């Protein structure tokens, strides 16, 4: 009997030990961080690496030739020529003087551009353009001087109550220009490799010939037009793009006076461009003052990739 009780006690002890061993959690395997940085630094480096993997991939191919045709307007509403006490009308009896100012208007400005993409982010673009518009002339302080009193004093001048309808010029302006621009395409903002909107900045220079159909100017005035600005380009596919841009221009215009303001009697009588000098009298104008033009233009066009 005692032996049976002793055996039963050993069995109970064995079951209790087995149950206690089942309740204890298994020991975790040891891990070792062999890097020389902390966990936070490693996580930050991983995030930076993931961001760096999404790079900007421009759609514009390098070493390609493109052609663009743009239509726009050049804001030429600036003073192109100004001279005080200058002739604005001549008759057989009197010569009329006034402060004449010629001011332009907005000009229709189509352009042809042939550009070569040296890199996906940089292009050189030769530009050929023309513009057509009108100008208006104003006459201030109109006065008249009898042709019989040439050489007389200032008291011979008479005030004119108003100028006639056709006394002030209102004629055409034509410009021709050719030059070279440089275009830089920065990274596409926010769209990354999927972006088709390509903003760009550009700058360059053109040689511009400006001609006004005026009785005061002999030939067109040639000037260097320095321009700069920016735009945006929508790359529709590998062949066609749409572009819109705004440019600012800076140039100086200097017209040369004509030899004759009026030609009468079938060429036998030529009336020079006179100006009236207070205290001296009439004299021939030999030069006009330069005019500095700070203007802007905008253009919308299409670009084809060859």
């Amino acid at each position: 009997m005692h032996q049976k009780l002793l055996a039963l006690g050993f069995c109970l002890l064995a079951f209790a030990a087995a149950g206690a061993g089942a309740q204890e959690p298994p020991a975790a395997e040891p891990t070792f961080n062999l890097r020389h940085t902390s966990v936070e630094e490693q996580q930050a480096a991983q995030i930076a690496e993931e961001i760096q993997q999404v790079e900007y991939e421009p759609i514009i191919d390098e070493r390609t030739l493109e052609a663009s045709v743009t239509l726009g307007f050049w804001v030429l509403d600036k003073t192109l020529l100004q001279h005080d006490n200058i002739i604005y009308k001549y008759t057989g009896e009197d010569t009329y003087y006034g402060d004449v100012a010629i001011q332009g208007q907005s000009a229709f400005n189509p352009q042809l551009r042939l550009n070569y993409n040296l890199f996906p982010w940089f292009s050189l673009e030769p530009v050929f353009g023309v513009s057509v518009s009108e100008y208006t002339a104003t006459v201030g302080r109109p006065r008249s001087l009898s042709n019989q009193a040439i050489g007389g004093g200032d008291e011979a001048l008479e005030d004119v109550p108003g100028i006639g309808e056709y006394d002030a010029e209102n004629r055409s302006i034509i410009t021709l220009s050719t030059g070279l621009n440089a275009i830089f395409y920065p990274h596409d903002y926010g769209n990354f490799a999927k972006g088709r909107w390509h903003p760009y900045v550009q700058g360059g220079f053109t040689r511009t010939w400006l001609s006004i159909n005026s009785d005061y100017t002999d030939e067109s005035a040639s000037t260097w037009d320095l321009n700069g600005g920016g735009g945006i380009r929508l790359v529709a596919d590998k062949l066609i793009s749409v572009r819109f841009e705004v440019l600012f221009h800076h140039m100086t215009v200097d017209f040369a006076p004509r030899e004759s303001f009026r030609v009468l009697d079938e060429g036998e009588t030529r009336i020079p461009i006179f100006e009236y000098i207070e205290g001296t009298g009439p004299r021939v104008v030999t030069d006009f003052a330069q005019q500095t033009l700070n203007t802007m233009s905008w253009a919308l066009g299409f670009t084809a990739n060859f």
Side-chain angles (χ1 to χ4, degrees), residues 24-30:
E24 293 181 358
E29 296 183 0

Side-chain angles (χ1 to χ4, degrees), residues 143-197:
R143 296 180 292 178
S144 66
L145 178 68
S146 173
N147 295 335
Q148 305 300 324
I150 293 179
D154 297 340
E155 65 276 1
L157 285 173
E158 297 182 1
D159 292 335
V160 176
I163 64 174
E165 182 179 358
Y166 301 101
D167 291 342
E169 296 180 343
N170 184 7
R171 303 175 186 175
S172 62
I173 303 176
I174 297 177
T175 68
L176 298 175
S177 59
T178 179
L180 180 67
N181 288 341
I183 302 178
F184 170 68
Y185 296 92
H187 280 189
D188 187 46
Y189 58 97
N191 292 329
F192 300 106
K194 298 180 181 180
R196 295 183 179 274
W197 293 93

Side-chain angles (χ1 to χ4, degrees), residues 10-286:
F10 280 116
C11 289
L12 293 173
L13 291 173
F15 282 115
Q23 293 177 359
E24 293 181 358
E29 296 183 0
T31 58
F32 301 95
N33 184 5
L34 300 181
R35 300 181 180 180
H36 297 287
T37 57
S38 63
V39 176
E40 291 78 7
E41 293 175 343
Q42 295 171 18
Q43 292 176 348
Q46 183 178 2
I47 294 174
E49 183 178 357
E50 292 176 354
I51 295 176
Q52 189 175 6
Q53 289 177 356
V54 185
E55 295 181 350
Y56 173 73
E57 297 178 2
I59 303 176
I60 301 173
D61 296 327
E62 63 180 5
R63 308 298 178 183
T64 55
L65 182 65
E66 296 177 334
S68 299
V69 176
T70 64
L71 301 177
F73 282 88
W74 187 3
V75 184
L76 285 176
D77 58 344
K78 306 296 180 180
T79 300
L80 306 178
L81 186 149
Q82 185 174 12
H83 204 99
D84 292 341
N85 289 329
I86 194 174
I87 183 175
Y88 72 87
K89 181 180 178 181
Y90 180 85
T91 65
E93 295 78 20
D94 301 303
T95 301
Y96 294 81
Y97 298 90
D99 299 340
V100 176
I102 293 178
Q103 185 161 348
Q105 301 176 3
S106 293
F108 178 60
N109 185 209
Q111 290 186 333
L112 172 65
R113 303 142 184 255
L114 300 173
N115 64 300
Y116 184 69
N117 298 323
L118 294 173
F119 306 100
W121 47 268
F122 183 77
S123 300
L124 291 177
E125 184 177 70
V127 179
F128 307 91
V130 61
S131 75
V132 180
S133 63
E134 293 183 348
Y135 72 86
T136 57
T138 59
V139 179
R141 295 194 309 153
R143 296 180 292 178
S144 66
L145 178 68
S146 173
N147 295 335
Q148 305 300 324
I150 293 179
D154 297 340
E155 65 276 1
L157 285 173
E158 297 182 1
D159 292 335
V160 176
I163 64 174
E165 182 179 358
Y166 301 101
D167 291 342
E169 296 180 343
N170 184 7
R171 303 175 186 175
S172 62
I173 303 176
I174 297 177
T175 68
L176 298 175
S177 59
T178 179
L180 180 67
N181 288 341
I183 302 178
F184 170 68
Y185 296 92
H187 280 189
D188 187 46
Y189 58 97
N191 292 329
F192 300 106
K194 298 180 181 180
R196 295 183 179 274
W197 293 93
H198 289 253
Y200 60 87
V201 294
Q202 76 175 55
F205 58 90
T206 60
R207 189 64 174 174
T208 300
W209 292 266
L210 192 151
S211 176
I212 58 177
N213 183 19
S214 174
D215 294 331
Y216 296 102
T217 59
D218 189 13
E219 299 177 352
S220 60
S222 60
T223 180
W224 287 105
D225 174 17
L226 304 179
N227 64 81
I232 191 166
R233 175 174 173 179
L234 171 61
V235 182
D237 53 38
K238 286 292 185 180
L239 296 178
I240 300 296
S241 300
V242 180
R243 61 189 289 176
F244 176 79
E245 66 187 29
V246 176
L247 295 178
F248 297 92
H249 304 261
H250 173 79
M251 60 183 181
T252 301
V253 178
D254 187 7
F255 288 100
R258 294 183 64 173
E259 293 183 359
S260 301
F261 179 77
R262 286 284 186 272
V263 178
L264 306 175
D265 302 329
E266 298 182 354
E268 295 183 1
T269 303
R270 296 180 178 271
I271 307 302
I273 299 178
F274 284 117
E275 63 177 341
Y276 190 89
I277 306 299
E278 302 290 346
T280 302
R283 73 174 184 182
V284 177
V285 176
T286 59

